[in-house]
Every structure is written in C-alpha cells, then in structure tokens.
C-alpha cells in the first residue's frame, strides 16, 4: 500500500485507518495493533513537522506492506534530513522534563526495529518493522 | 478535545475528553492550563478518564504544563489514567514525575 500525503496532521488518522485495514484478518492482537498505529502516528508527525516543516508543497510518502508475518512501514519526507544520533535520550535526567524529543524513542519502543536512511530521492526515510504473529508477542515482542 | 473545568474544595479539576495529539488537543491543553495558572489557580487535577489517545506531542504538553504549574508554586496531578496512557508515561519514566490517583476524592484531599 502506497500513500502520498500532504504535510497536514489531519492525514495521520487516515494513514492509521489504512494501516488498520492492512492488518485486518491477520494474526495480530489489538494490543500490538494499537502500538503499531501509535508508532505510525509518531513517524508521520515527525515527517510532517520536523521533516517537511509543515510545508504544504512537500509530501510525505508512505509504503506499508506485510511479508512473512512482518509489517514494514516506510515513511519518507522531502525535508533536509537529520542525524538521529543528535536526538537526545529522553530518559536522561536532563531531558526528562523537556517538552519534546520523545517521538523516536516511542517508535523504537513500540516497534521491533526502526531505521533511518537518507532517501535517494531526497529527504529522510524512516523504516519501521514489527513481527505480527502471536508467538513473537509471547517472546517479548509486545510493547 | 473537549475540556471542562470544575472546582472541588479548592482544586481545579480539568476533565479532558478525546485526543491529546499533535495539532489536535496539545495546544488546547497548554492554553487551558495557562488560563488556570494566570487566574491564580494553584491546585490542578487533570482527569484523563476520557482521553482516548495521547502522542509524544501530547505528552510533551503534559510535561510542560506540569513544569509551568510547579514553577509558579502550584501542584498538578493526574486522575484516572487509562492503561495505555499509563504505559506511554511509564516507558519514558514520566510516571514517577506525576502524582496519579484513581479516586477523585483522594486526589482532591491530597492537595490539602
């Protein structure tokens, strides 16, 4: 499933709805689905706000697919990109009460893997993956 | 997000309903708390029972409100945290920052 969204926060829920549809009928608990949709929300908010700077002339490109019981979500913005290593640890005492800087942490917490790439087409791409089947949840895959 | 403020024994209880997410509720939360603080309210209890979703932006605003109230000599506490919102606060170790109550009367009494 591929989407090209304008840089509006209102589009986050539409993408969440479509991701929910993609997961329908698959071996995935409501709990896991909830955290996947939260991670998707964080990824899209990051792309719209920090990537594209809410510039309506820039798009957010989303690709979602399930293969081998693993969900992969790719979110690409058209912004200047950033170095994820420069994002502070929200658990560090000096960052604990900051009003921002938790989005990437939440994505990493809710998903099995989060990868950041500078996209060949320009912009930053975040790749989120999550094993869907119930056995992986019992082994600690659940948030 | 819908907000309603009521006063109970000197405590301003802010009932929230709906989402506290980026572009939808996050700024509204900040503005509502700021109004309470600016009007001299020092004891603020946020009732989260009917909050359906919160994201990192909403969490950030909640933390900002806590800091803002505390810096002005007030107290901000949370009531009726839904389990998933409690989880979101727990993983970022913010659950230890907030005083959280399951009973409104206990929460109100705690400000005395």
């Amino acid at each position: 499933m591929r989407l090209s969204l304008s840089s509006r926060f209102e589009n986050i829920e539409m993408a969440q709805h479509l991701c929910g549809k993609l997961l329908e009928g698959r071996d995935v608990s409501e709990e896991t689905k909830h955290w996947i949709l939260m991670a998707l929300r964080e990824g899209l908010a990051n792309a719209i706000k920090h990537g594209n700077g809410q510039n309506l002339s820039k798009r957010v490109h989303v690709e979602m697919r399930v293969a081998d019981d693993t969900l992969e979500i790719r979110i690409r913005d058209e912004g200047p990109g950033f170095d994820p290593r420069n994002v502070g640890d929200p658990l560090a005492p000096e960052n604990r009460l900051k009003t921002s800087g938790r989005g990437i942490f939440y994505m990493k917490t809710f998903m099995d893997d989060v990868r950041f790439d500078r996209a060949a087409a320009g912009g930053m791409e975040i790749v989120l993956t999550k094993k869907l089947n119930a056995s992986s949840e019992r082994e600690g895959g659940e948030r | 997000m819908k907000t309603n403020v009521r006063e109970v024994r000197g405590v301003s209880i802010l009932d929230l309903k709906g989402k506290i997410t980026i572009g939808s509720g996050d700024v509204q939360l900040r503005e509502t708390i700021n109004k309470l603080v600016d009007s001299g309210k020092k004891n603020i209890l946020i009732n989260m029972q009917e909050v359906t979703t919160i994201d990192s932006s909403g969490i950030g605003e909640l933390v900002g409100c806590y800091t803002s109230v505390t810096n002005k000599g007030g107290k901000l506490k949370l009531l009726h945290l839904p389990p998933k919102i409690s989880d979101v606060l727990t993983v970022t170790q913010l659950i230890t920052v907030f005083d959280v109550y399951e009973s409104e009367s206990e929460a109100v009494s705690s400000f005395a």
Side-chain angles (χ1 to χ4, degrees), chain A residues 63-77:
Chain A
E63 191 176 335
M64 300 184 275
R65 65 188 182 121
V66 177
D68 298 329
D69 285 330
T70 299
L71 170 70
E72 182 183 87
I73 302 172
R74 291 176 173 266
I75 301 169
R76 179 170 63 84
D77 61 51

Side-chain angles (χ1 to χ4, degrees), chain A residues 79-104:
Chain A
F82 67 100
D83 187 341
R85 290 172 300 186
N86 292 338
V87 178
D89 175 7
L91 303 186
E94 65 272 21
N95 295 331
R96 190 83 55 84
L97 292 180
K98 284 193 173 170
T99 56
S100 60
R102 296 182 182 84
I104 291 173

Side-chain angles (χ1 to χ4, degrees), chain A residues 9 12-13 16 30-31 34-35 38 41-42 45-46 49 90-92 96-106 109-110 143, chain B residues 19 21-24 52-57 59-61 63-67 83-85 87-89 91-94 96-97:
Chain A
F9 296 127
I12 292 176
E13 291 201 5
Q16 285 184 303
E30 284 303 310
E31 182 82 4
H34 173 84
W35 296 116
M38 285 296 294
R41 167 177 283 283
E42 295 294 343
N46 191 73
K49 184 178 181 182
L91 303 186
R96 190 83 55 84
L97 292 180
K98 284 193 173 170
T99 56
S100 60
R102 296 182 182 84
I104 291 173
F105 178 86
Y106 281 135
T109 302
F110 301 152
R143 196 278 346 114
Chain B
K19 297 178 296 182
T21 55
I22 194 161
S24 173
T52 53
T53 306
I54 193 163
D55 64 3
S56 63
S57 184
I59 293 290
E61 289 299 341
V63 171
C65 290
Y66 172 86
T67 305
K84 286 192 168 58
I85 295 179
D87 286 347
V88 166
L89 286 172
V91 294
T92 39
Q93 300 179 2
L94 287 168
T96 57
V97 170

Side-chain angles (χ1 to χ4, degrees), chain B residues 8-58:
Chain B
V8 178
R9 290 187 280 143
V11 177
S12 302
I13 302 180
L14 175 58
D15 297 308
L16 303 181
K17 187 174 187 178
K19 297 178 296 182
I20 314 175
T21 55
I22 194 161
S24 173
D26 54 347
V27 176
Q28 193 182 350
L29 172 62
R30 186 199 318 160
E31 290 174 348
T32 306
I33 294 291
N34 284 346
K35 275 185 195 167
L36 287 171
V37 171
D38 290 345
S39 64
K41 304 295 185 187
K42 292 207 178 285
N43 297 329
I44 299 172
L45 180 63
I46 301 181
N47 179 9
M48 306 280 286
Q49 187 159 30
E50 295 192 68
V51 175
T52 53
T53 306
I54 193 163
D55 64 3
S56 63
S57 184

